[in-house]
Structures are given as structure tokens and as C-alpha cells.
Amino acid sequence: MALLGRATATTAWPVAVGAQEPARVRRVGYIAGADEATMGHIFAAFRQRLTELGYVEGRFIALEVRWAEGRAERLPGLVTELIGLKLDVLVAGNSVAAIAAKNATHTIPIVMVAADPVGLGLVENLARPGGNVTGLSYFNEAMIARRLQLLKEMTPGLARIAVMKNSTVSIHATFWRTAEVAARTLGVSLQPLEVGRPEDFDAAFAAATGGNAQALIVFDDVLTIVHRPRIIALAAAHRLPAVYGLREFPKDGGLMSFGASFVVLFRRAATYVDKILKGAKPADLPVEQPTTFELVINSKTANALGLTVPPTLLAQADEVIE
């Protein structure tokens, strides 16, 4: 079934043949901060895993999907809309959506894919979440440190890195603190670039150039994900080697990305949904840490920037885009 090209979609699913038929339709909400064009394949991975678990399209389970289209301010309203549908489970596809969901309901089970769930107050601890929220984390400190290390290895003589972040995104404060520690270890300085709106991108890149930044790291949020073509174009125009968290960036012409595999994470999220629909309580389901990380390098972009990708990085890459 093709994904719908709108902010709202509804898909129905039955349970596996031979399974006990539920007394009513089970409703599962799915809310994503980005747009379907960018993250539709992630939703497809989630849906495919449900199919593998026996939830074949039909009349026994309904999947309600909402896309915030890169506008984080829409997430609370979309969460409220979904909760009004009397969901059995709500899947929150990023940290902001998870916070909005937790603030909106203490009774509907929430399966999150978020960064630093304990630090954001989403769960009490990873082993025993203790409330109505469980799921998966996509962040650890080594991930941010590795991105800086990649820039250091890719860019000879690197001394100053611009960091695109958004102070209104809670997790970015954690990302920044982690980056500062890594920068001291690597002997490089950081230049913060505050970006909260699409209108901020031009000024941010001008500031990076004016501050003699030699490379760029972009902290992930729905704004940067949805507007990645513009960010990639500006990085090329300012000749800034950049590292991102999602493989969609080098796929679209960015230099490289390193981060958790969101396909793997959302397939696991489907497994959490399955467990909850079968009676498990979120409070008793430990939050999983990321275990699969991907390094994607766009060698064509490296050549355009006059960079030679070290053989050691090529050997480590999960994918090299020619």
C-alpha cells in the first residue's frame, strides 16, 4: 500500500491468522516530527515489521499516522488529535513528540524513539521505565564524539568546527555538552550556530565563515531534517565539510553521516507495540539503547570539496556514495 502524501493517514491491520480475534479494533497512533517524503521509508520499516509479526492489513487493528512536516510546534496538537481517537498505543517518533505525548496522557502506552529518555524526563530509568512510556533511545555520548572525530580525520589541519543547534530543542543542550568534551580531547574549538527557523540558515553559515570555521556538525531536529537540501547546498557554497546524524543527508549530497540506524530502531519499535498489544506494560519493558550505527560517506561531495577520504574511513563506511 502506498503511503499517503498528506499529514494524516489511516491504515488498518488484522492480527495473524489463527491468533485470537480481539473484541474490538486496536488503534495504534504513529506521530513523526519530519515529513513523509523524508522519513516515509522509516515508517515503511515499522509497518513491514508489524506485517512480519502477523499484523496483516485488514479490519482488526488500525494505524493512525500524523506527520508534523518539520514544524515542531504542531506536535502537541497532533498528539491531542491522536489521543482523541482512543488509542491503544501511541508511537512517538522523536524526542519532542515523545515529550508532547507524555505531557498529554499518563494512561495510553507510549512507545518512543527518542534521545536521552532519562535526561528528558520521559522515563525514571532505562531498566524499569516506571510509567506509561518505554521504547528506544537513539543517542549516546560516543556518537557525538565520533562525529567530531570523523571531521578531524576528513579535514587536514582542522582546528575550528561550527555547530548548528537549536536552543529550543532540549536534547541539543546535551549534544552540545558532549561535543564540548570531545572537542577538548581532539584539540579543536567549537563555534555555536543558533538556528530555530528556516530564515536563520543564511545568517548561520555567514557567521561560520566569518568565524573561520573549517567544518560543520549539524545537530538533528525536525527543522534540519526537513530543510536538509538547503543546508547541504549552503555547506557546499561555503565549502564546509559537514557531518550529520542521518543517512538522508549524504544521500542528498551532504558529505557524511554517523548515527544510529533508524530503520533498525523503528523495526524494534514495532516489536514494542506487539508486546504491549499482547498485554505487556510499558513500565516493565526496559528502554533499549542503540546498538547499530551507520557511517555513510558521499565521495563525490568529498571530491568537490577537495578532500581525500582516508582509506581507513572508506573501510569503516557502511555505504560509500559515488
Side-chain angles (χ1 to χ4, degrees):
M1 175 180 292
L3 298 182
L4 302 181
R6 299 181 298 175
T8 302
T10 302
T11 307
W13 306 80
V15 295
V17 174
Q20 182 177 0
E21 181 173 316
R24 60 181 175 81
V25 171
R26 313 300 294 277
R27 291 191 176 275
V28 177
Y30 180 104
I31 183 166
D35 58 336
E36 188 177 0
T38 302
M39 303 302 281
H41 66 292
I42 302 298
F43 169 72
F46 171 78
R47 182 177 64 178
Q48 177 61 34
R49 181 56 182 154
L50 285 177
T51 299
E52 293 169 2
L53 291 167
Y55 297 95
V56 184
E57 185 176 2
R59 61 187 177 88
F60 294 109
I61 190 168
L63 185 62
E64 303 282 352
V65 185
R66 304 293 186 271
W67 303 94
E69 306 289 346
R71 295 167 55 191
E73 69 276 10
R74 294 189 60 202
L75 288 167
L78 292 174
V79 165
T80 299
E81 180 182 328
L82 284 170
I83 289 174
L85 299 176
K86 302 185 184 305
L87 301 175
D88 293 279
V89 184
L90 174 57
V91 178
N94 67 5
S95 300
V96 179
I99 292 170
K102 182 176 173 63
N103 289 340
T105 178
H106 298 292
T107 57
I108 296 174
I110 297 168
V111 175
M112 64 172 177
V113 177
D116 192 17
V118 176
L120 293 176
L122 292 167
V123 298
E124 293 177 7
N125 61 68
L126 300 181
R128 294 192 64 83
N132 66 317
V133 181
T134 187
L136 303 104
S137 170
Y138 66 82
F139 166 76
N140 63 29
E141 294 182 352
M143 183 178 70
I144 298 294
R146 180 57 178 150
R147 291 178 193 170
L148 268 68
Q149 177 68 41
L150 287 168
L151 285 175
K152 182 83 169 178
E153 293 179 35
M154 184 74 80
T155 311
L158 180 63
R160 187 166 174 80
I161 301 173
V163 180
M164 184 175 290
K165 65 187 187 72
N166 186 342
S167 60
T168 68
V169 177
S170 300
I171 192 59
H172 282 193
T174 301
F175 288 177
W176 175 255
R177 289 192 297 270
T178 304
E180 285 185 309
V181 173
R184 287 194 293 270
T185 300
L186 294 172
V188 299
S189 64
L190 302 180
Q191 178 188 359
L193 305 175
E194 286 291 336
V195 174
R197 308 168 303 160
E199 295 81 6
D200 297 334
F201 291 135
D202 288 321
F205 276 93
T209 300
N212 297 316
Q214 300 160 284
L216 171 70
I217 179 173
V218 176
F219 289 167
D220 309 320
D221 67 2
V222 296
L223 179 71
T224 57
I225 292 170
V226 169
H227 294 280
R228 69 194 180 285
R230 187 173 174 194
I231 293 171
I232 291 167
L234 284 167
H238 288 265
R239 299 194 63 75
L240 282 174
V243 63
Y244 310 91
L246 277 71
R247 63 164 45 239
E248 285 72 24
F249 284 86
K251 285 282 191 181
D252 287 346
L255 177 59
M256 58 183 169
S257 66
F258 180 80
S261 168
F262 275 75
V263 167
V264 171
L265 290 172
F266 277 85
R267 283 178 59 83
R268 290 296 301 158
T271 301
Y272 274 81
V273 170
D274 177 53
K275 291 178 180 179
I276 291 170
L277 290 179
K278 289 176 178 174
K281 296 183 182 301
D284 300 328
L285 294 175
V287 174
E288 292 186 6
Q289 296 275 54
T291 57
T292 303
F293 296 90
E294 301 175 318
L295 171 60
V296 180
I297 299 173
N298 190 315
S299 63
K300 182 177 179 180
T301 299
N303 291 336
L305 291 169
L307 300 174
T308 299
V309 183
T312 53
L313 289 189
L314 289 175
Q316 296 170 37
D318 296 276
E319 182 177 358
V320 177
I321 301 170
E322 303 291 343

